Every structure is written in C-alpha cells, then in structure tokens.
Amino acid sequence: MLEQNSEGCVQTGSTLWRRKKSQSAYSEEQQTMDLKGQKTAKSESQEVTQFAIEVVFRHIDCARVYQNEEQVGQAIRSKIADGTVKREDIFYTSKPGEELYPKDENGKLIPDSVDLCRTWEALEKCKDAGLTKSIRVSNFNHKQLENTLNKPGLKYKPVCNQVECHPYLNQRKLLDFCKSHDIVLVAYAALGSQRLKEWVNLNLPVFLEDLVLCAIAKKYKQTPALVVLHYQIQRGVVVLAKSYKKKQIKENVQAMLCVLTRYYTLSD
C-alpha cells in the first residue's frame, strides 16, 4: 500500500486531524476517522470525494480494484485548486498492481508466489524515489508483520496495518502486537462485514442490530454506529468510514468530532 505525498502523481486523501510535521502519517494521537473510497459509480466518486473533503476528511483510502482512482484524483485536484485544502494536507492511500485479478487461460485465478519481503523492498525503493510519503500493509497477520520487521536490511517498517476490525472481530492480539512495534492498526468494516453472500452467512444477525450494542446505544442516547466508532477510538484504532451518501458522511463527521472533542477533554 502506498501513501502518496506532495510529489506523487495522484493527488488525494489524509487524516482527520492535522499531524505535526515531525510525525509520520498516523502518529498524532492515532485517533482518526478516514474515508474509504469504496467502489462506486464513477460519476458519484468525484462528487462524493469533493464533499468529503469539504466536511473535513483528509485521508482517502482507495485501490485500483475500485476502478475510480481517476475520479477521486480529479476531486482532490479540484479542492486544491479552489483553496479548500493544500496538497500537504492530503493523503491518498492506494494498493499497487498491474492486474486486478490475474487469471489463466481457463479463467482461474493465478495465486501470487512472490516473496512478501521482495515486494517490500520494491516499496522501499518507491519511498526512496519520493513517489510515496509512507508505505504500509493490509490484511497482514502477526507472523507476516514479524517476517517483514525481521527482514535483513529493512529500511522502513510498515506505518500501519489495515485489517477488518469490529467488536465481532476485535483483533486484540494483533492490535497489541502493532502497538508494541509502533504500527498503527487501521480498521475497515468497522461497522461489521459487508452483507454479501460471498463474505458472510446472511442468516446471521446484522451486527448493528446486536442486542447488547443497541442496549448500550440506548443507554447513552447514541446510535449503535457511533458507539462502535467510539469504541475503536478509545482503543487507538484508526477508523475507515465507508459511505457514498452525503448525509451519512456529514453525520459521521459531526458525530465523530463530538466524540473526539469529549475524548481529548477527558484525556487532558
């Protein structure tokens, strides 16, 4: 995964709170909520990204597989051009790769046998060349992270590890390991896995309708989603907020700003 800086060619996304110049991309308090540039209609992608920047999102998580990186980049450029943000305020995360899903002549997926450490060396060269601000990983388990960190000649360790993380899959051991090595854990599917038959058993209850979660939300007069997001922030996890609905994006930001303000007030 690449996180491009002001020298990168595609200009998109960063963190909710402005970081100190001496710190790396997720280091300031490690309490952020970012926008996940999920696969949406290309016509929607540019408009939604522009809106998200206007309401304070500064990190946009994207990927070639979403097939909308060009539109997301155009949206970022337009908000830089109209003075809403500066390039140094923005971080854009991508996942490189020449093919989305390589297949053989029979249409079967071709598994990748490239050594992860060799791939990491290639990403380190991208950072040395000024093509990216920082490099990170996604869906790495404890062992894969350990192999990377122990790689002979390691120049840069992963800034963060992006994984599925929510109360049903809290990743406690992985979070502890990441914290012990100053690696930020970034949560996708923070409000539960997508309800797709390829991913989950559709007969199982919907996560945000969990009785315990709803009881907590009712007690504190909050929505179940806000309770879950607050839970992640308290744990020091960066949350990716996945949405293409303007109303929902705005509500998420306003709610999270209230949570963060209250959190920092209590911490101080």
Side-chain angles (χ1 to χ4, degrees), residues 163-177:
V163 297
E164 179 177 347
C165 184
H166 46 75
Y168 282 1
L169 181 63
N170 65 29
Q171 303 282 12
R172 180 178 57 81
K173 291 183 178 179
L174 184 60
L175 176 59
D176 289 343
F177 178 82

Side-chain angles (χ1 to χ4, degrees), residues 27-257:
S27 56
E28 121 236 304
E29 268 52 72
Q30 298 180 358
Q31 312 293 336
T32 61
M33 182 174 72
D34 311 320
L35 181 70
K36 187 167 183 62
Q38 68 198 67
K39 184 176 180 179
T40 59
K42 292 185 178 181
S43 59
E44 290 181 308
S45 299
Q46 183 169 344
E47 183 181 353
V48 169
T49 303
Q50 289 172 328
F51 180 78
I53 294 172
E54 290 170 1
V55 296
V56 88
F57 279 101
R58 294 295 179 267
H59 170 215
I60 297 175
D61 178 87
C62 207
R64 186 170 183 270
V65 70
Y66 301 156
Q67 300 179 49
N68 58 8
E69 288 191 299
E70 181 180 350
Q71 288 70 33
V72 172
Q74 291 171 348
I76 300 287
R77 292 188 183 97
S78 71
K79 301 318 294 179
I80 292 173
D82 69 13
T84 301
V85 291
K86 296 179 180 179
R87 182 60 187 89
E88 56 267 28
D89 296 330
I90 297 294
F91 278 80
Y92 171 79
T93 303
S94 184
K95 295 88 172 175
E98 294 182 2
E99 295 185 63
L100 298 181
Y101 301 108
K103 297 179 180 179
D104 60 22
E105 62 275 11
N106 298 315
K108 294 185 177 180
L109 291 176
I110 303 174
D112 192 349
S113 59
V114 177
D115 187 288
L116 290 177
C117 288
R118 288 175 56 195
T119 301
W120 190 253
E121 289 174 2
L123 293 176
E124 288 180 322
K125 290 178 181 178
C126 289
K127 179 171 173 56
D128 285 338
L131 299 176
T132 179
K133 179 73 174 179
S134 56
I135 48 180
R136 49 202 222 162
V137 296
S138 181
N139 298 318
F140 267 41
N141 57 33
H142 168 280
K143 198 66 180 177
Q144 290 169 319
L145 281 173
E146 207 165 46
N147 288 340
T148 302
L149 293 171
N150 294 332
K151 185 186 81 68
L154 180 73
K155 296 181 69 174
Y156 309 109
K157 67 180 182 181
V159 168
C160 67
N161 182 23
Q162 183 185 129
V163 297
E164 179 177 347
C165 184
H166 46 75
Y168 282 1
L169 181 63
N170 65 29
Q171 303 282 12
R172 180 178 57 81
K173 291 183 178 179
L174 184 60
L175 176 59
D176 289 343
F177 178 82
C178 287
K179 284 184 175 181
S180 70
H181 290 85
D182 197 27
I183 296 173
V184 178
L185 191 76
V186 178
Y188 68 78
L191 301 181
S193 300
Q194 295 185 64
R195 300 285 293 180
L196 300 174
K197 62 181 181 180
E198 296 85 1
W199 291 93
V200 298
N201 182 347
L202 297 181
N203 294 319
L204 294 175
V206 177
F207 169 61
L208 289 180
E209 296 175 3
D210 182 274
L211 295 180
V212 174
L213 176 59
C214 289
I216 295 172
K218 183 178 181 181
K219 177 179 179 180
Y220 293 100
K221 299 179 180 180
Q222 301 290 347
T223 64
L226 183 54
V227 170
V228 174
L229 295 176
H230 195 175
Y231 158 77
Q232 296 287 27
I233 287 176
Q234 287 182 315
R235 304 170 73 216
V237 174
V238 171
V239 183
L240 290 175
K242 179 179 179 180
S243 180
Y244 59 91
K245 297 179 180 178
K246 291 184 178 180
K247 183 174 182 292
Q248 192 175 67
I249 291 173
K250 191 171 183 179
E251 288 176 348
N252 283 347
V253 170
Q254 291 175 336
M256 288 299 295
L257 285 173

